[in-house]
Amino acid sequence: MSDISLPIAFQQAVLGSQSYPKNTIHRTLETPPKFLDKANSRLDEREGDLFEDNAADWEVSIRDLDTAYGKDVDKYNIHSHEKLLEWLGIRIQSSSQSPRIVTGVKKDPKCRLIYIYGMHSRSKLRLTRAMLADILTFHQVMPVFLDFLHVFGQQSEPTDLNFSGFREQVMLANPPDGLILPGLGRSGKHYQMCYNLKGIALKSEIKENFMMNEWSIRPAVFHHQFDIASGNTLWIVIKGNLEIRQRFKALTDKDARAQDKSFDTTEEAFRSSLSAQLMFCYWAMEDWRWYIKWLERAVDNKLAKPAKHIMALRGPCGAGYPHKTYTPRDIQDLQIWEERTRQVIIALEGNADVMLALVAFYHRLTQDGDFPLRKTCSLDVDNFADKVGVIITDFRMQIKRAGFLVKTIADRRQLVIQHLQSQSACRAEQLSRSMEQEQVFMLIITVVTLIYLPATFVSTFFSTDVIKYQGSDSPEGSFSATALLRWLQVTIPLTAVTCGVAWLARRWALAKRSQNEIDLEQRTTSWKLKKYPLGSSITLLPFYNKLPVETKNSF
């Protein structure tokens, strides 16, 4: 087969593919040079995280349908840059005496799926930057597609999972000369779009304890081009595994429905593209209901340790009473569940908004006078819109369900906070009672000490050499009634005086405390009655006894 000549602008774009997106032929207001510079620099920053360095791990899956060679299906897994250029049909002729020339080898198939993937959503994509640049340059993918690429790449935690978007580019009339490639089957009149959706999948299941199940929100990026003259269709899908590729294969396999894989006419190719779009939307809808149900069970679970917050019980503490002691960890657990539920709401709302934008795009397309299929395929677009509308309605119901769960978690967290405060109050009350008991004990000790203090003092004083009741004739001592009488005469009055002084001191302290409390509660302002004319109400205004403070340099 002879080589296919290509326009100079397209040849220059292919030769400068490594400068993508600066080498795109068609420029719009949405992609000024500054935007292209920023997109290129962001790609430079994340090149090490996005693309695979090990050549043994390179793999790009391509599936061509209804090829120019007459094959219904032609598929191949690309493992090298050279093989990629060969499969795309790019031949670069170079010589020392003339500039390099780019020619085509084969026409584009009626439908092509280029599937780019990694081991999972947070791993490197299994191709190089040069391979991606050649793919995007050869198909002249709009530069904004790179914004969706940054969701993937090597990362410990998903950093841009909340991002959702829908971008479009329509060129139904007067395309640039560099995009008119009749030898490749491209008229230049086409539309393209890119968007992302998020699905949910059960990563691992443990039947013994459902709380240990792991769920994962998995993003997918879709790019679509459709030539309105030739009916050629292009799909570029980026995902963390091969799930979407397997679904596309089932959609276009030999046992699939004929209307989902027919490309004989432009109308049939357009209907087949709508079937693929609908398949992607159904993928994004699956399993969200079951994930929300799992979240509800996790929050309501009483037995599993991470979530014991279904009911906070108040009542007597101790054995035999249904009482639970809460800790700040319980609040942290509830906060984690609430954040996971809010993430569900963001993902579902993003999916719904993207699908609304997708339906609106096709409605605008059928109203465009330059779209040749606006009459023959308007019913197909309406049918597509109805089916997507059912999916969006399901999203709205799941969003309401998740919103109710968020409110339930917030209410229970507030209840747990109140119980934590109640527990703190109970502990403070117990401490107060313990201190009251200690005060009683100290009071008893103080009273006993006051009673025995004078007697102890008198006994100690009488035992000194100041007073003696023992004679030298009886060194061992003897009972002295006089000594006992003197001891009682001194001890009893001294004890009475000591207790009286203590009682007066206590009464003075209580009176002083009462006066301080009255001073704190008593208002420091008085009120004066101001007269108003008849018919007006009488108002009491505060009158401050303090004189106004003089202000220096006032005017």
Side-chain angles (χ1 to χ4, degrees):
M1 186 175 180
S2 60
D3 291 348
I4 302 172
S5 61
L6 303 173
I8 299 299
F10 187 81
Q11 293 185 45
Q12 293 176 350
V14 172
L15 293 174
S17 61
Q18 301 311 306
S19 64
Y20 181 87
K22 296 181 178 180
N23 63 338
T24 52
I25 297 175
H26 180 62
R27 302 290 177 86
T28 63
L29 293 176
E30 292 82 5
T31 56
K34 188 174 182 180
F35 172 84
L36 300 179
D37 292 337
K38 289 183 178 180
N40 189 56
S41 39
R42 279 193 294 263
L43 200 60
D44 291 338
E45 293 175 0
R46 294 211 59 209
E47 182 175 357
D49 297 330
L50 279 172
F51 305 106
E52 184 59 61
D53 301 327
N54 188 5
D57 294 331
W58 295 344
E59 182 172 292
V60 178
S61 178
I62 299 180
R63 184 180 180 88
D64 293 341
L65 304 176
D66 199 356
T67 66
Y69 299 108
K71 290 185 178 181
D72 293 335
V73 179
D74 196 7
K75 54 186 178 180
Y76 195 79
N77 292 331
I78 307 297
H79 296 94
S80 66
H81 194 185
E82 295 75 14
K83 190 64 179 178
L84 174 64
L85 296 178
E86 179 184 347
W87 189 268
L88 294 177
I90 299 175
R91 180 177 295 172
I92 301 177
Q93 302 174 1
S94 59
S95 64
S96 58
Q97 299 179 354
S98 60
R100 293 186 298 173
I101 300 176
V102 179
T103 58
V105 177
K106 59 181 180 180
K107 293 183 65 174
D108 293 341
K110 284 294 184 179
C111 180
R112 167 172 287 171
L113 170 69
I114 300 178
Y115 198 86
I116 302 172
Y117 72 101
M119 297 303 297
H120 48 79
S121 301
R122 289 179 281 111
S123 65
K124 295 183 178 181
L125 300 176
R126 301 184 64 179
L127 80 169
T128 64
R129 179 177 179 178
M131 296 170 69
L132 178 68
D134 282 331
I135 292 173
L136 301 183
T137 298
F138 181 74
H139 297 97
Q140 283 298 294
V141 176
M142 54 185 178
V144 74
F145 176 75
L146 294 178
D147 288 346
F148 296 83
L149 187 69
H150 294 285
V151 177
F152 300 93
Q154 189 172 19
Q155 47 193 320
S156 58
E157 294 293 336
T159 57
D160 204 13
L161 194 59
N162 295 334
F163 169 75
S164 295
F166 179 90
R167 304 291 186 271
E168 62 182 77
Q169 187 180 94
V170 180
M171 194 185 310
L172 304 182
N174 302 321
D177 295 337
L179 297 180
I180 302 176
L181 309 171
L184 300 181
R186 304 182 191 178
S187 67
K189 299 178 180 180
H190 70 285
Y191 63 81
Q192 57 178 309
M193 67 182 74
C194 56
Y195 59 90
N196 65 331
L197 295 172
K198 304 179 188 68
I200 189 70
L202 181 59
K203 188 176 180 180
S204 63
E205 182 179 10
I206 301 177
K207 295 183 179 180
E208 292 78 10
N209 185 3
F210 78 94
M211 292 289 297
M212 302 301 294
N213 294 348
E214 293 186 24
W215 293 80
S216 175
I217 298 178
R218 297 179 176 178
V221 174
F222 305 93
H223 173 80
H224 173 53
Q225 289 186 17
F226 185 83
D227 193 298
I228 63 173
S230 63
N232 289 358
T233 306
L234 171 68
W235 295 100
I236 300 178
V237 179
I238 304 179
K239 197 180 179 300
N241 54 29
L242 296 174
E243 181 182 5
I244 300 295
R245 190 190 74 172
Q246 300 301 328
R247 292 178 182 242
F248 190 87
K249 177 182 177 181
L251 182 71
T252 58
D253 207 359
K254 60 180 180 179
D255 298 329
R257 301 188 311 168
Q259 60 266 34
D260 298 333
K261 58 175 183 177
S262 298
F263 305 96
D264 296 334
T265 63
T266 307
E267 289 81 2
E268 291 179 349
F270 182 77
R271 296 186 185 102
S272 298
S273 68
L274 292 180
S275 297
Q277 298 274 28
L278 197 59
M279 181 198 68
F280 300 147
C281 294
Y282 279 127
W283 166 81
M285 183 186 68
E286 293 179 359
D287 292 337
W288 283 107
R289 171 194 171 187
W290 308 111
Y291 179 50
I292 297 175
K293 181 179 179 180
W294 178 80
L295 289 174
E296 292 172 343
R297 290 184 62 194
V299 173
D300 290 340
N301 182 38
K302 292 183 180 181
L303 301 178
K305 291 183 179 180
K308 299 182 284 187
H309 322 292
I310 183 173
M311 184 64 71
L313 298 175
R314 297 193 64 179
C317 303
Y321 292 101
H323 184 85
K324 173 175 169 35
T325 301
Y326 289 93
T327 63
R329 176 62 183 272
D330 297 315
I331 300 178
Q332 295 177 3
D333 291 341
L334 288 173
Q335 183 65 32
I336 291 173
W337 292 116
E338 182 177 351
E339 291 176 359
R340 296 185 69 172
T341 308
R342 290 187 183 277
Q343 196 173 43
V344 171
I345 295 176
I346 293 176
L348 293 179
E349 288 180 344
N351 285 350
D353 292 340
V354 168
M355 292 183 188
L356 285 173
L358 181 63
V359 171
F361 169 80
Y362 279 110
H363 278 310
R364 291 194 303 271
L365 199 62
T366 56
Q367 297 172 2
D368 194 324
D370 295 327
F371 185 56
L373 307 179
R374 63 185 182 277
K375 295 182 179 180
T376 57
C377 294
S378 60
L379 293 179
D380 299 290
V381 171
D382 292 338
N383 186 34
F384 170 77
D386 292 339
K387 293 180 179 179
V388 175
V390 173
I391 298 175
I392 294 174
T393 301
D394 183 82
F395 281 147
R396 297 303 182 196
M397 290 187 291
Q398 300 303 331
I399 289 172
K400 290 181 180 179
R401 184 178 177 182
F404 176 77
L405 181 58
V406 168
K407 186 178 184 302
T408 301
I409 295 174
D411 292 341
R412 291 181 182 176
R413 183 177 62 246
Q414 187 63 31
L415 187 59
V416 171
I417 292 174
Q418 293 177 2
H419 275 256
L420 284 174
Q421 295 174 350
S422 177
Q423 290 172 186
S424 299
C426 289
R427 287 193 292 267
E429 183 179 357
Q430 293 175 358
L431 181 61
S432 177
R433 291 178 180 177
S434 176
M435 293 179 64
E436 288 179 358
Q437 294 177 356
E438 292 178 358
Q439 290 179 356
V440 172
F441 294 150
M442 292 300 298
L443 180 60
I444 295 174
I445 294 173
T446 303
V447 171
V448 172
T449 303
L450 287 175
I451 294 175
Y452 284 95
L453 180 61
T456 303
F457 170 76
V458 174
S459 299
T460 303
F461 181 76
F462 276 32
S463 63
T464 61
D465 293 338
V466 177
I467 301 175
K468 288 186 177 181
Y469 292 96
Q470 297 176 357
S472 59
D473 299 336
S474 56
E476 295 181 358
S478 60
F479 174 74
S480 174
T482 303
L484 178 59
L485 180 61
R486 297 292 184 269
W487 185 86
L488 292 175
Q489 289 176 346
V490 176
T491 301
I492 292 175
L494 187 58
T495 301
V497 171
T498 303
C499 293
V501 172
W503 179 78
L504 292 175
R506 179 177 178 276
R507 186 172 179 179
W508 177 83
L510 292 177
K512 187 68 174 176
R513 182 190 301 176
S514 300
Q515 183 63 35
N516 292 336
E517 293 177 355
I518 292 174
D519 292 341
L520 290 175
E521 294 178 357
Q522 187 177 6
R523 294 179 180 269
T524 58
T525 60
S526 60
W527 304 87
K528 77 173 183 177
L529 187 63
K530 186 175 181 179
K531 295 183 180 181
Y532 287 88
L534 294 177
S536 63
S537 59
I538 299 177
T539 306
L540 289 176
L541 298 177
F543 178 77
Y544 293 87
N545 294 323
K546 295 182 180 180
L547 296 176
V549 180
E550 294 183 358
T551 304
K552 296 182 179 180
N553 300 327
S554 60
F555 57 90

